[in-house]
């Protein structure tokens, strides 16, 4: 690895745009940053405009305040700059300029990471129709576009089981924007999913903090795909484009020629719930589809919508569904790790904290969680030793009876029992018995009790 530059070297090579990017990602104003660093707010502005170069000691203070290595400011990047107007933000009045700037700074760093990884790992080529490229002016209406996209990706007329996987497989970069660990969830949760075509490769940014529900998540992904293929020229008002993206998403996920014969002639929540599980869309979306296809009146739709909002909902977290989480960057990092280039090496090359690389790539933080081992009666009066405190991973290790078919690693019996015929390929202890049912969306097996609640929808095959 190349020798790290000194603070004096960094001051000489200082890149103003890097300071702006780091400040925006931390959602700090110039006034807030100057108080943390000990220089005037005017000086921060001069640094960012390139009028004045900060001294070596100021570089160190900036790095500490913005949680980046000092070398971050000398890297000569970002490779691109994404303006707020180049991103398809929804509900702009619900988000501040600072939040939007934070999100676009995040996109810039995600793009930088992807460019670095593509130097060593071959990513899928962008695969969209000619009418969907930015240079095209012959863009079809949303319904026609959704049908054309299904045909172009050879998706047929069945439910799309793994939507985010399909989007990534066809060369559209997808990332999670999740900043929960910053302790500012209320503000972050106002940022809904968005996308941009300002980059050489389109990018969709999904926000699990906003609503950790797989049905809403899938519709958001399809909605942003609609923006990418329909609105690269930014035609029309924001409200018009949002309606068009919604129309695209509804048709892309639930083709009207198929769904209209499956929807009930009157509002039936049990039937809508069955279709929800089968097609991978929310009951709210299907209820709107009823109205959109003139199967119910406006007044009936409104009464049903009010009733639906009063009913209890069961949580369907995104991370429980394979194929609905971004994997492209994560898999590329794992490939590099397999040839001796660790995540920390990647972080050092990009002059970013390893924690930020994990955020961008959707990799869970590896820090172990500790738990106390119960003392026997004859040990209660003795002091706890190192052996008395173990990580959850180590504690579970004694009970690792099942091997994951995905990772090849052994997992606990409790975890294997939840998905006895999908996440395991071999057993070394207790074997699961009974009938299990496979979800058409996730591909996983669920319990007989859960399947019984929706006997004709969430299962397509049964196995012992």
């Amino acid at each position: 690895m190349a020798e790290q530059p000194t603070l004096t070297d960094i001051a000489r090579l200082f890149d103003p745009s890097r300071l702006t990017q780091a400040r925006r990602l931390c959602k700090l104003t110039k006034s807030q940053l100057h108080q943390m660093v000990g220089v005037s707010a005017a000086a921060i502005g001069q640094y960012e405009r390139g009028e004045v170069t900060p001294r070596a000691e100021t570089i160190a203070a900036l790095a500490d305040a913005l949680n980046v290595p000092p070398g971050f400011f000398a890297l000569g990047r970002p490779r691109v700059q994404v303006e707020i107007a180049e991103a398809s933000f929804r509900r702009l009045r619900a988000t501040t300029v600072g939040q939007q700037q934070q999100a676009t700074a995040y996109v810039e760093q995600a793009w930088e990471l992807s460019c670095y990884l593509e130097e060593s790992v071959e990513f899928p080529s962008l695969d969209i129709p000619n009418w969907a490229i930015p240079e095209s002016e012959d863009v079809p209406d949303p319904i026609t576009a959704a049908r054309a996209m299904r045909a172009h990706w050879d998706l047929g007329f069945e439910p799309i089981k793994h939507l985010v996987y399909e989007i990534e497989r066809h060369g559209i970069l997808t990332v999670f924007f999740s900043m929960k660990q910053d302790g500012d969830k209320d503000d972050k949760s106002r940022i809904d999913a968005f996308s941009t075509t300002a980059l050489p490769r389109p990018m969709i940014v999904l926000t699990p903090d906003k609503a950790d529900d797989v049905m809403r998540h899938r519709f958001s992904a399809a909605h942003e795909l609609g923006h990418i293929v329909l609105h690269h020229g930014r035609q029309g008002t924001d409200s018009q484009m949002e309606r068009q993206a919604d129309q695209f998403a509804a048709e892309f996920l639930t083709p009207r020629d198929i769904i209209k014969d499956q929807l009930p002639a009157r509002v039936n929540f049990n039937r809508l719930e069955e279709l929800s599980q089968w097609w991978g869309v929310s009951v709210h979306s299907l209820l709107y589809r009823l109205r959109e296809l003139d199967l119910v009146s406006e007044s009936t739709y409104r009464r049903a919508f009010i009733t639906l909002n009063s009913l209890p909902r069961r949580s369907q977290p995104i991370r429980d569904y394979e194929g609905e989480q971004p994997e492209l960057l994560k898999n590329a990092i794992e490939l590099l790790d397999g040839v001796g280039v660790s995540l920390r090496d990647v972080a050092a090359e990009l002059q970013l904290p390893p924690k930020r690389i994990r955020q961008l790539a959707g990799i869970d933080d590896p820090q172990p969680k500790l738990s106390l081992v119960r003392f026997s009666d004859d040990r209660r009066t003795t002091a706890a030793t190192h052996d008395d405190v173990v990580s959850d991973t180590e504690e579970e290790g004694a009970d690792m009876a099942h091997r994951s078919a995905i990772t090849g690693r052994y997992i606990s019996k409790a975890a294997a029992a939840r998905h006895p015929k999908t996440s395991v390929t071999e057993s070394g202890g207790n074997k699961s018995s009974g009938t299990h049912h496979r979800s058409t969306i996730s591909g996983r097996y669920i319990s007989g009790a859960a399947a019984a609640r929706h006997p004709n929808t969430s299962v397509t095959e049964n196995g012992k």
Side-chain angles (χ1 to χ4, degrees):
M1 189 175 296
E3 184 178 348
Q4 296 298 310
T6 66
L7 291 174
T8 302
D9 294 334
I10 295 168
R12 187 172 64 254
L13 300 172
F14 182 76
D15 184 347
S17 64
R18 298 295 275 180
L19 175 57
T20 302
Q21 184 192 81
R23 178 179 62 79
R24 288 179 173 178
L25 196 57
C26 290
K27 206 158 67 66
L28 293 173
T29 65
K30 296 173 186 176
S31 178
Q32 290 170 326
L33 181 58
H34 95 82
Q35 294 173 3
M36 299 170 67
V37 175
V39 299
S40 67
I44 299 295
Q46 290 171 335
Y47 299 155
E48 292 191 5
R49 292 191 297 271
E51 298 171 355
V52 175
T53 299
R55 296 191 298 269
E57 58 269 24
T58 305
I59 293 284
L62 288 169
D64 184 61
L66 298 173
N67 193 29
V68 294
F72 175 87
F73 299 113
L75 203 53
R77 295 172 180 170
R79 300 187 184 209
V80 295
Q81 288 182 278
V82 179
E83 301 298 332
I84 291 175
E86 296 174 319
S88 63
F89 287 110
R90 282 179 265 177
R91 304 177 182 88
L92 288 176
R93 285 178 291 183
T95 59
T96 66
V97 171
Q99 291 164 349
Q100 294 165 40
Q101 288 178 337
Q102 181 190 43
T104 54
Y106 189 88
V107 165
E108 291 169 358
Q109 291 193 352
W111 176 250
E112 188 172 330
L113 174 60
S114 74
C115 288
Y116 172 82
L117 295 173
E118 277 203 84
E119 293 174 0
S120 304
V121 179
E122 184 178 0
F123 281 22
S125 300
L126 180 61
D127 179 23
I128 57 177
N130 289 333
W131 52 263
I133 62 177
E135 295 77 17
S136 174
E137 296 181 358
D138 187 21
V139 181
D141 65 85
I143 306 303
T144 303
R147 293 171 177 173
M149 284 301 300
R150 267 188 169 260
H152 188 78
W153 287 357
D154 196 25
L155 295 174
F157 298 97
E158 295 296 314
I160 303 173
K161 292 184 179 179
H162 308 298
L163 178 59
V164 174
Y165 166 79
E166 289 291 342
I167 290 172
E168 290 194 307
R169 189 167 73 90
H170 291 93
I172 296 174
L173 189 61
T174 308
V175 298
F176 272 155
F177 176 50
S178 178
M179 308 288 279
K180 279 185 178 180
Q181 55 268 50
D182 287 352
D184 194 17
K185 182 182 182 301
D186 290 341
D187 281 344
K188 304 296 188 310
S189 65
R190 296 178 186 174
I191 293 287
D192 216 326
F194 64 97
S195 57
T196 181
T197 56
L199 306 167
R201 185 188 291 272
M203 184 186 299
I204 293 176
V205 182
L206 300 171
T207 50
D209 292 356
K210 179 69 176 181
D212 188 11
D213 179 83
V214 70
M215 302 303 187
R216 175 170 178 167
H217 170 78
R218 283 166 52 87
F219 194 89
S220 292
H223 176 103
E224 297 308 326
L225 176 62
H227 278 306
I228 287 173
V229 301
L230 294 172
H231 301 139
H232 37 74
R234 309 293 292 177
Q235 305 95 342
T237 64
D238 288 341
S239 59
Q240 288 173 332
M241 289 190 289
E242 289 303 313
R243 284 196 298 271
Q244 290 170 356
D246 279 343
Q247 290 173 340
F248 174 95
E251 183 66 21
F252 189 69
L253 293 173
T254 54
R256 62 178 59 198
D257 290 344
I258 306 299
I259 197 69
K260 69 181 180 181
D261 294 329
Q262 299 180 0
L263 289 167
R266 62 181 64 183
V267 175
N268 181 325
F269 288 117
N270 288 334
R271 177 57 178 163
L272 291 176
E273 178 63 27
E274 292 174 354
L275 291 174
S276 167
Q277 296 300 311
W278 175 253
W279 286 97
V281 296
S282 68
V283 175
H284 284 87
S285 177
L286 291 172
L287 191 57
Y288 186 82
R289 208 82 166 114
L290 277 172
R291 180 66 194 106
E292 185 182 42
L293 298 176
D294 290 324
L295 296 177
V296 297
S297 67
E298 179 69 22
S299 59
T300 299
Y301 163 74
R302 291 185 180 280
R303 288 196 301 271
F305 193 84
I306 293 171
T307 301
L308 180 60
N309 284 337
S310 67
L311 296 176
R313 302 177 187 176
R314 58 190 180 90
S315 175
Q316 300 182 82
I318 297 165
R319 294 189 182 277
D320 286 352
Y321 290 80
E322 296 170 13
E324 302 302 348
Q325 304 168 56
E327 297 281 350
L328 192 56
L329 296 180
K330 177 181 178 180
N331 289 343
I333 289 175
E334 289 176 351
L335 282 173
L336 287 183
D337 187 64
V339 296
V341 181
S342 69
L343 185 145
R344 288 192 173 275
D345 293 332
V346 174
E349 287 292 329
L350 295 177
Q351 289 294 305
L352 287 170
K355 181 178 180 180
R356 177 54 43 78
I357 300 296
R358 293 189 189 97
Q359 285 178 341
L360 296 169
I363 299 173
D364 292 333
D365 196 315
Q367 294 179 356
K369 296 179 181 179
L370 302 180
S371 60
L372 290 174
V373 174
R374 290 179 179 273
F375 287 115
S376 60
D377 290 340
D378 59 346
R379 295 177 61 196
R380 290 181 187 277
T381 58
T382 63
T385 66
H386 173 73
D387 292 335
D388 295 325
V389 183
V390 298
S391 70
D392 287 342
T393 303
E394 293 169 340
E395 190 173 26
E396 284 185 353
D399 197 35
M400 292 293 183
H402 301 263
R403 190 177 184 184
S404 167
I406 298 168
T407 65
R409 297 177 179 175
Y410 283 84
I411 59 178
S412 68
K413 291 179 182 177
R418 289 196 291 271
H419 308 291
K421 296 211 172 189
T422 56
S423 64
V424 296
T425 54
E426 53 185 280
S427 298
N430 294 337
K431 294 184 179 180
S432 178
S433 61
T435 301
H436 300 277
H437 305 260
R438 192 177 185 183
S439 166
T440 56
I441 300 171
S442 68
R444 294 180 175 181
Y445 284 81
I446 58 177
S447 68
R453 290 196 292 271
H454 309 291
N456 299 320
T457 60
S458 63
V459 298
T460 54
E461 53 183 285
N462 298 334
K464 289 287 183 181

